[in-house]
Amino acid sequence: MKTSLDRRRFVAQASISAILVISAMSLAADRGFYQLSLSSEFLWLCLASMAIIHLSVRPKWTEAGLLVAGTGLLCAVEFGWAGMSAKAECVFALLGLASLTIMGLRMVWSVRAAAKLWFWAFVPGLLFVGFGWITPPLLQYGQIAHPKVLDLYLYSFDCSLRFQPSFLVGLLFVKLPWLRVICYFFYLGLGVPIAAVYAGHLVRNQKAATPIMLALLYTGPIGGMFYSLFPALGPVHLFQQNFPLHPLSIEQARHLFLEALALPGYRNAIPSLHMGWVLLTWWYCRGLSKWTKAVVLAFVLFTVLATLGSGEHYLIDLIVAFPFCVLIQGLFAFSLKWNDRRRVLAVFGGLATVLAWLWALRTVPHFFWASPAIPWVLLVGTVAASIWAQNRLEKAVEVSDERTQSSENEPRSTLDGTFSASKLAHEA
């Protein structure tokens, strides 16, 4: 009986492995995948970031060598057998594809805890890349569902601050093109901090990593709901060739007639999900290495510059991202009960703040012009209140996690999925 079960298990493992390898090689030989890798910087950077998860789970030179060999094989398929021109972007995309394939194979052939750890490395990585692939079609649908945008309302609010942040940073990019290039790659490299933070928690404690993974994964779909409530594009789409050199004067902006405009482009301005993702990764850095925190902090700072200077966002988009992130963290703080007051405050306080901003920006835009102090007090208050609520939530989660870990003995920790890189290396 045991021999029969082992035989069936082996056949299943071999079949799944064949599917993984054939799928990877088929993608490498596919011209559509090749063109997508060339046209979408976000895709190949997102794929390449899978190597961070891979090598964090198994930080060995032999694993790095295996990854290089796998990438070389896929390059031979794409550039040799399929006859496509070798491009650096495609090599990075194939690096990520090879990493996902190897993680899948490790998951299939490992046993017990190691297999479970590889599962939580492979499947979320696959989902992150998959969500990146389906995002453009969803945004295109948003453009059809909401033919008009509310950019003038967001622009009016930014101007009520008595300066224009996006145009100011945009002018800085004109004067310092090297800064624009650096910020551009930080903007596109969003997958790097996401992968680094998730992998850092995964090798420390899989239980703690799961809600983080879900929070980062569902940030996109939940944020898309708010895009439908307040469709907007960004100042570069509103001003087009006049951005960033020819803004309106503050006095002109004060008397601007506010209306919805029919403009083409993705309706993904408020809240800024780029800001939301990097802010979440920064908040989730608790307990990780100084290097990881330094990298994530750099992404936060350069993303602020990139979102504004590129003209893809208004300052208010970034501010509303703060309560939005508090909402997301509260939704996925699974270690706390639903009626925990800190979790309730995070969820309902974050949601109420986001909705209040969207309502005020749309219905009472001239209120912000009554005094320069009004928009500034509201901005600072929103950020401060969000950080306060997030700190309370984070401390509550930390206490809850410590209690859970202290109540578990070592054998149960292994069964429940608490791992370390050293345990995995020993078992694998």
Side-chain angles (χ1 to χ4, degrees), residues 52 56 192-193 195-204 281-298:
I52 298 175
S56 295
V192 173
V197 170
Y198 175 63
H201 283 286
L202 182 62
V203 298
R204 293 175 69 249
T281 56
W282 174 247
W283 284 350
Y284 281 130
C285 271
R286 174 174 53 91
L288 300 185
S289 68
K290 292 182 180 179
W291 284 106
T292 301
K293 292 179 180 178
V295 169
V296 174
L297 180 58

Side-chain angles (χ1 to χ4, degrees), residues 310-362:
S310 64
E312 294 294 337
H313 287 283
Y314 304 89
L315 178 61
I316 185 59
D317 302 342
L318 278 62
I319 299 302
V320 175
F322 277 80
F324 171 75
C325 289
V326 174
L327 163 65
I328 295 294
Q329 274 204 318
L331 286 173
F332 295 95
F334 296 146
S335 61
L336 301 178
K337 294 181 179 180
W338 269 110
N339 60 355
D340 185 285
R341 64 182 184 278
R342 280 118 351 155
R343 191 178 185 188
V344 170
L345 175 65
V347 172
F348 291 100
L351 176 61
T353 304
V354 173
L355 293 178
W357 268 112
L358 299 184
W359 174 84
L361 289 166
R362 182 69 176 88

Side-chain angles (χ1 to χ4, degrees), residues 163-209:
F163 84 116
Q164 303 183 44
S166 299
F167 284 86
L168 187 64
V169 181
L171 286 173
L172 184 64
F173 281 2
V174 172
K175 295 179 180 179
L176 302 174
W178 58 267
L179 179 61
R180 178 181 61 83
V181 173
I182 292 174
C183 291
Y184 180 70
F185 278 101
F186 272 92
Y187 185 79
L188 294 174
L190 181 62
V192 173
I194 290 176
V197 170
Y198 175 63
H201 283 286
L202 182 62
V203 298
R204 293 175 69 249
N205 188 332
Q206 183 264 313
K207 275 188 173 180

Side-chain angles (χ1 to χ4, degrees), residues 203-420:
V203 298
R204 293 175 69 249
N205 188 332
Q206 183 264 313
K207 275 188 173 180
T210 301
I212 294 174
M213 177 270 294
L214 292 173
L216 294 171
L217 194 63
Y218 279 96
T219 293
I222 296 174
M225 298 179 185
F226 292 106
Y227 289 161
S228 298
L229 295 178
F230 204 107
L233 304 171
V236 69
H237 302 279
L238 180 63
F239 283 83
Q240 300 178 9
Q241 70 273 11
N242 290 322
F243 181 87
L245 299 177
H246 303 290
L248 298 180
S249 67
I250 296 299
E251 196 59 30
Q252 287 175 317
R254 178 197 292 270
H255 298 96
L256 193 63
F257 178 72
L258 303 183
E259 61 178 337
L261 301 175
L263 294 174
Y266 291 155
R267 277 73 171 137
N268 61 347
I270 186 168
S272 168
L273 292 192
H274 261 81
M275 184 64 193
W277 269 306
V278 295
L279 186 59
L280 281 172
T281 56
W282 174 247
W283 284 350
Y284 281 130
C285 271
R286 174 174 53 91
L288 300 185
S289 68
K290 292 182 180 179
W291 284 106
T292 301
K293 292 179 180 178
V295 169
V296 174
L297 180 58
F299 268 90
V300 173
L301 297 177
F302 281 107
T303 297
V304 170
L305 293 176
T307 50
L308 294 175
S310 64
E312 294 294 337
H313 287 283
Y314 304 89
L315 178 61
I316 185 59
D317 302 342
L318 278 62
I319 299 302
V320 175
F322 277 80
F324 171 75
C325 289
V326 174
L327 163 65
I328 295 294
Q329 274 204 318
L331 286 173
F332 295 95
F334 296 146
S335 61
L336 301 178
K337 294 181 179 180
W338 269 110
N339 60 355
D340 185 285
R341 64 182 184 278
R342 280 118 351 155
R343 191 178 185 188
V344 170
L345 175 65
V347 172
F348 291 100
L351 176 61
T353 304
V354 173
L355 293 178
W357 268 112
L358 299 184
W359 174 84
L361 289 166
R362 182 69 176 88
T363 59
V364 289
H366 296 294
F367 166 73
F368 303 113
W369 286 94
S371 168
I374 292 176
W376 280 107
V377 169
L378 291 174
L379 286 190
V380 174
T382 298
V383 173
S386 299
I387 294 174
W388 174 76
Q390 189 275 332
N391 283 333
R392 293 192 70 205
L393 180 68
E394 184 179 37
K395 290 178 181 178
V397 170
E398 186 174 1
V399 170
S400 177
D401 289 344
E402 289 175 355
R403 288 176 179 172
T404 301
Q405 290 181 9
S406 64
S407 66
E408 294 177 343
N409 54 35
E410 186 64 25
R412 184 176 178 182
S413 294
T414 303
L415 290 174
D416 282 349
T418 303
F419 310 107
S420 68

Side-chain angles (χ1 to χ4, degrees), residues 143-151 230-232 259-263 267:
Q143 185 173 349
I144 297 172
H146 304 284
K148 292 188 177 183
V149 294
L150 304 174
D151 279 69
F230 204 107
E259 61 178 337
L261 301 175
L263 294 174
R267 277 73 171 137

Side-chain angles (χ1 to χ4, degrees), residues 93-105:
L94 294 176
L95 170 70
L97 184 59
S99 187
L100 278 173
T101 305
I102 294 170
M103 286 193 289
L105 293 173

